[in-house]
Amino acid sequence: MTITGSCHCGRVAYSLDADVTEAIECNCSICRRKGSVLAAFDPALFRLATPREELGVYTFGQHAIRHQFCRTCGCAPFAEGIGPGGKAMVVLNLRCAENVDLAEVRITPFDGASL
């Protein structure tokens, strides 16, 4: 399945070739505020349709994750970083995915606030 997604205004857009069957709902300080539902993927599957200079980037804490957001509408459709075990990952905010039905995704709470 090809997943497509974007920010609210459409300026930041991506596609990714994978199936989504599970995701997490993290309670860390940023995910809780954004209301994200997150699924991680291999970066080789991800295609950004937006020039990188169009993106805003926010990091905090250990700076392991680069939260990418639209400089126009402020929406954050994805992040990039290093996951458990030191592997590179792209993390999609499934609330910004256009063709993913969250009712069909197993969503597991994740206690990121305790990290």
Side-chain angles (χ1 to χ4, degrees), residues 13-104:
Y14 67 82
S15 62
L16 185 133
D17 291 323
D19 291 327
V20 180
T21 57
E22 56 188 64
I24 64 167
E25 193 166 34
C26 180
N27 68 352
C28 79
S29 59
I30 194 167
C31 291
R32 185 179 73 245
R33 286 171 173 82
K34 291 191 304 184
S36 300
V37 173
L38 306 168
F41 299 93
D42 183 323
L45 303 173
F46 182 77
R47 290 178 306 284
L48 182 62
T50 304
R52 290 246 169 218
E53 55 270 6
E54 295 285 328
L55 300 172
V57 179
Y58 178 71
T59 62
F60 69 100
Q62 297 177 0
H63 302 277
I65 300 174
R66 294 175 312 282
H67 300 267
Q68 312 287 339
F69 64 93
C70 176
R71 292 177 188 226
T72 301
C73 70
C75 196
F78 74 99
E80 298 170 303
I82 304 300
K87 289 186 74 174
M89 64 179 178
V90 169
V91 180
L92 301 185
N93 177 359
L94 296 181
R95 294 194 188 277
C96 295
E98 295 159 4
N99 55 338
V100 173
D101 182 356
L102 289 179
E104 296 184 15

